[in-house]
Amino acid sequence: MSDTAEKTYPPSDAMAAGAHVNADAYTRMYDASISDPDGFWREQGARVDWIKPFSTVKDVDFTLGNVHINWYADGELNVSANCIDRHLATRGDQTAIIWEPDSPEDGALHITYNDLHANTCKMANILRDMGVGKGDRVIIYMPMIPEAAYAMLACARIGAIHSIVFAGFSPDALAARVNGSEAKVVITADQAPRGGRNTALKTNADQALLHCKDTVKCLVVKRTGAQTTWVDGRDYDYNALAAEASATCEPEVMNAEDPLFILYTSGSTGMPKGVVHTTGGYLVYAAMTHEITFDYHDGDIYWCTADVGWVTGHSYIVYGPLANGATTLMFEGVPTYPDASRFWQVCEKHKVNQFYTAPTALRALMGKGRDFVKGADLSSLKVLGTVGEPINPEAWKWYNEVIGGGRCPIVDTWWQTETGGHLMTPLPGAHAMKPGAAMKPFFGVKPVVLEPTSAEVLQGDPVEGVLCIADSWPGQMRTIWGDHERFEKTYFSDYPGYYFTGDGCKRDEGGDYWITGRVDDVINVSGHRMGTAEVESALVAHGKVAEAAVVGYPHDIKGQGIYCYVTLMGGEEPSEELRVELRNWVRTEIGPIASPDLIQWAPGLPKTRSGKIMRRILRKIAEDDFGALGDTSTLAEPAVVDDLIENRMNRS
Ligand code: ATP
Ligand code: MG
């Protein structure tokens, strides 16, 4: 592997001295969290304000047939009061949300905690008047506008359970989630501007609602002012109602284990699951990880580029930051509009201190060249973060040098929709980072590496196997909406007694963790098991390759062969010589065993809307079995798949 993979990057002395958690504190706190979880989490429970204090902390069983997960179970609180009301006395005039619109020509908004309170209360009162009460489900299908955050917090305020559906999803995907959650109301907007184009959200909602019960109501927020069709009695005009609504609303008293939201996972591995998160433990965990992972300090400007349609937007745009009284930036647009300098322009404009994005965005921007970064003053940046997939060392290095100027720690946060918050990450002031490593467990998290078939716990270092978690943490999902049996089967049956993450992992000689990708993505070539991520990293390290996805396919001699989908950098032409060159490149980078059997040129790769490669589809194409691709409702650009099928390389 390239030399970046071995070099480590310790925190600067200044970073270590000023951070919430330095190396000594990490060890001390981690040990305490494992030896006395009850005591540790009892103390952390004080991060939020309780209406009625909890007396019990943890009540958990991972035994198949009896799985239950409860935290702070007899405590009572309200999430919106924690994210807003408790800050009003000290920071009512502080900016809670900076909103940066799709077009830089339109001005940004600065929404104070006082504004946030008034707007959330209005939305809450409107929802109550529409008949929404405690425990009812509300679907949020919105652009990245402040009203999306008001909607989430308004639901939390009145005890309704929200389920956000990403605005890029189709009417079919929306209808499935309205029906699956038996929602009473859909909150949407007339249009969603993104990258200079407007998606007709209300029109999509109209189409979806044709396939839902006719009692479902629709609350429509004005974004662009575009004309929409209107169904009297079903559709409610948010802006007209908000002008009249009261700006105060008593928060509902919620039990710690009442559901806060349902979120359908992106579905890169199968049918979407309605992941359920509850109130108390989730908020404690989101607040704690936000503060410590990003080393957030009072007065910092924090920006997570995710969409509220993903769990990252829930925990690290809205709930975590606002529970901490932070200033959180909400961005409506895309990284490449009007051009590939947009992220860096926004960082400069709002003097962003912590910046959190996905490897897929970094790779895309890296491919556009450094000129787009040069013009921006990025000196405000202190901590950088990534989430969503393993970051290949090449992209890590670019992020570190070109964006962070070599002075910003990069937190490579490994977690899942199911985990509610970060489970593994280096901490900015504590750990010597290794490019591509998720490094260390967060407090209270007990990772174990198991031998995949025998389920034996692998001791010592280094080891490689499947990643399970031996005990609960407060942010853990509680069930799959309406299907507890599927919950137990999916996460607790393959490796009894453990939470099974579905990811593979290795622990190196230094005891640091590396996520190797999903277990489904491990291939077995002539008896050698390897993670596809390793081959992908090698390919992307080649100067002409922008992106690569690797899957296995049945091979007569080797058992499985290595099938690579390769997207070239702009300006590069596919050729037979380049194929040979790439094959040799991988052989020297990793070894002959990893030599690609088939390389298909891919103008684009099938991705979920959150930017994850859908390898299950690529596997089907590589197997020459593309009749049943499974659920494709979460695909960003379905046309990409047709091209790949047409030009597939393995034809029987
Ligand atoms: P589904 O479970 O429906 O297939 P999904 O797993 O893509 O959807 P998420 O919960 O958003 O939906 O993704 C979690 C997964 O993303 C992890 O299990 C892991 O495979 C990958 N991942 C997230 N962050 C990282 C990271 N920092 N390093 C490596 N992999 C990561
Ligand atoms: Mg998953």
Side-chain angles (χ1 to χ4, degrees):
M1 297 290 296
S2 50
D3 57 3
T4 38
E6 276 113 46
K7 196 174 164 201
T8 68
Y9 297 75
S12 67
D13 293 345
M15 181 56 77
H20 290 300
V21 176
N22 63 16
D24 289 345
Y26 172 80
T27 310
R28 183 169 33 81
M29 287 172 70
Y30 183 75
D31 291 350
S33 74
I34 298 303
S35 61
D36 177 19
D38 257 63
F40 183 86
W41 290 112
R42 180 179 298 281
E43 204 174 296
Q44 294 301 327
R47 287 180 176 270
V48 305
D49 285 359
W50 299 86
I51 298 167
K52 180 181 157 241
F54 56 87
S55 63
T56 64
V57 178
K58 179 178 164 224
D59 166 23
V60 172
D61 193 342
F62 280 2
T63 314
L64 193 63
N66 188 41
V67 178
H68 61 262
I69 298 158
N70 295 310
W71 285 87
Y72 309 115
D74 60 350
E76 290 173 350
L77 73 164
N78 182 282
V79 166
S80 108
N82 270 286
C83 290
I84 310 172
D85 304 43
R86 66 166 171 162
H87 305 311
L88 295 180
T90 51
R91 50 176 105 237
D93 293 327
Q94 180 202 306
T95 300
I97 298 175
I98 299 173
W99 180 67
E100 176 65 32
D102 184 49
S103 165
E105 315 272 288
D106 303 335
L109 290 179
H110 288 77
I111 296 145
T112 65
Y113 275 94
N114 282 329
D115 299 335
L116 184 60
H117 180 256
N119 288 317
T120 299
C121 287
K122 285 178 180 222
M123 180 86 82
N125 286 323
I126 292 168
L127 289 172
R128 269 194 182 143
D129 286 346
M130 290 173 75
V132 178
K134 190 169 176 169
D136 289 338
R137 274 79 60 205
V138 172
I139 297 282
I140 300 176
Y141 182 62
M142 301 264 275
M144 280 291 286
I145 55 178
E147 286 83 355
Y150 307 158
M152 294 166 76
L153 293 161
C155 288
R157 198 163 189 91
I158 63 174
I161 305 165
H162 62 69
S163 182
I164 306 188
V165 178
F166 176 58
F169 282 171
S170 65
D172 285 351
L174 175 60
R177 286 154 180 76
V178 175
N179 294 330
S181 65
E182 297 177 274
K184 269 195 174 172
V185 169
V186 175
I187 309 179
T188 189
D190 47 11
Q191 292 188 317
R194 232 171 151 248
R197 280 198 299 263
N198 293 334
T199 304
L201 274 196
K202 173 59 163 58
T203 308
N204 286 353
D206 285 338
Q207 277 181 38
L209 288 171
L210 292 176
H211 305 283
C212 304
K213 279 204 212 135
D214 54 16
T215 49
V216 181
K217 294 172 180 167
C218 188
L219 179 62
V220 187
V221 176
K222 177 176 150 193
R223 169 61 184 96
T224 63
Q227 194 81 39
T228 62
T229 48
W230 204 260
V231 180
D232 281 327
R234 186 198 73 181
D235 294 346
Y236 289 70
D237 179 342
Y238 167 79
N239 299 76
L241 293 167
E244 305 291 322
S246 159
T248 56
C249 171
E250 208 40 49
E252 193 76 42
V253 177
M254 303 301 289
N255 181 269
E257 284 300 338
D258 284 333
L260 176 64
F261 64 85
I262 304 168
L263 184 59
Y264 289 86
T265 54
S266 55
S268 37
T269 54
M271 282 302 279
K273 308 174 270 278
V275 169
V276 176
H277 282 288
T278 58
T279 298
Y282 170 80
L283 192 65
V284 169
Y285 201 73
M288 182 180 188
T289 46
H290 170 259
E291 180 185 63
I292 291 175
T293 301
F294 301 109
D295 198 40
Y296 185 88
H297 291 261
D298 229 5
D300 285 346
I301 309 291
Y302 162 88
W303 181 18
C304 163
T305 69
D307 189 282
V308 289
W310 314 123
V311 71
T312 309
H314 287 64
S315 301
Y316 300 114
I317 295 177
V318 177
Y319 291 120
L322 295 177
N324 290 333
T327 298
T328 179
L329 195 150
M330 219 175 149
F331 177 47
E332 188 183 36
V334 299
T336 48
Y337 176 78
D339 63 39
S341 71
R342 191 71 204 285
F343 271 2
W344 324 122
Q345 298 297 338
V346 173
C347 283
E348 171 179 323
K349 178 174 173 189
H350 297 293
K351 303 202 166 38
V352 169
N353 302 117
Q354 290 90 5
F355 178 75
Y356 189 31
T357 196
T360 178
L362 294 173
R363 280 194 302 268
L365 295 174
M366 187 169 79
K368 307 270 183 198
R370 290 188 186 204
D371 284 353
F372 289 103
V373 190
K374 273 188 192 144
D377 175 3
L378 298 176
S379 57
S380 59
L381 291 173
K382 296 195 287 197
V383 175
L384 302 173
T386 70
V387 57
E389 49 180 333
I391 180 166
N392 46 292
E394 216 47 39
W396 194 99
K397 204 174 142 199
W398 185 84
Y399 201 21
N400 179 49
E401 285 168 12
V402 181
I403 304 306
R407 47 161 228 290
C408 303
I410 298 175
V411 290
D412 179 352
T413 61
W414 171 78
W415 61 298
Q416 311 175 300
T417 309
E418 293 89 337
T419 69
H422 306 147
L423 286 200
M424 288 207 221
T425 177
L427 298 182
H431 300 127
M433 299 163 305
K434 300 176 181 174
M439 297 294 299
K440 296 286 185 198
F442 196 77
F443 305 116
V445 175
K446 277 168 84 170
V448 285
V449 182
L450 304 186
E451 203 288 317
T453 37
S454 72
E456 173 204 349
V457 177
L458 299 173
Q459 309 283 1
D461 304 322
V463 290
E464 181 165 356
V466 301
L467 176 61
C468 287
I469 312 292
D471 202 352
S472 185
W473 61 98
Q476 186 171 20
M477 78 183 280
R478 303 302 197 248
T479 190
I480 290 176
W481 181 255
D483 199 348
H484 195 70
E485 211 177 302
R486 183 175 174 204
F487 173 63
E488 295 205 1
K489 191 166 172 303
T490 308
Y491 303 105
F492 299 93
S493 68
D494 289 357
Y495 300 98
Y498 298 105
Y499 167 76
F500 173 44
T501 66
D503 286 343
C505 138
K506 62 184 179 209
R507 194 168 56 225
D508 68 16
E509 292 80 357
D512 296 321
Y513 291 87
W514 302 68
I515 305 300
T516 51
R518 296 168 200 280
V519 174
D520 298 350
D521 295 338
V522 171
I523 47 183
N524 194 326
V525 182
S526 309
H528 297 268
R529 293 169 57 82
M530 70 182 97
T532 53
E534 197 174 356
V535 186
E536 288 164 8
S537 271
L539 284 166
V540 176
H542 188 282
K544 293 179 183 165
V545 175
E547 204 159 28
V550 172
V551 297
Y553 73 102
H555 189 286
D556 289 346
I557 300 153
K558 306 188 200 176
Q560 274 190 306
I562 300 179
Y563 192 119
C564 309
Y565 298 85
V566 171
T567 307
L568 295 175
M569 291 280 189
E572 298 296 340
E573 287 299 322
S575 68
E576 220 26 68
E577 293 77 61
L578 185 53
R579 260 206 191 99
V580 175
E581 189 179 322
L582 291 180
R583 201 166 280 138
N584 289 335
W585 171 265
V586 176
R587 289 173 74 96
T588 30
E589 288 280 298
I590 308 177
I593 189 70
S595 179
D597 294 285
L598 296 172
I599 297 178
Q600 176 173 352
W601 308 116
L605 294 169
K607 291 186 183 171
T608 64
R609 301 276 178 166
S610 58
K612 285 188 204 188
I613 297 168
M614 285 172 105
R615 287 191 187 69
R616 104 184 124 79
I617 290 181
L618 294 175
R619 259 194 305 271
K620 287 277 183 196
I621 298 174
E623 287 163 5
D624 198 21
D625 166 27
F626 46 86
L629 289 180
D631 181 59
T632 51
S633 68
T634 60
L635 209 53
E637 285 177 75
V640 162
V641 175
D642 300 333
D643 176 90
L644 295 180
I645 291 177
E646 203 178 306
N647 297 301
R648 69 194 184 280
M649 313 263 311
N650 174 32
R651 293 167 193 253
S652 38

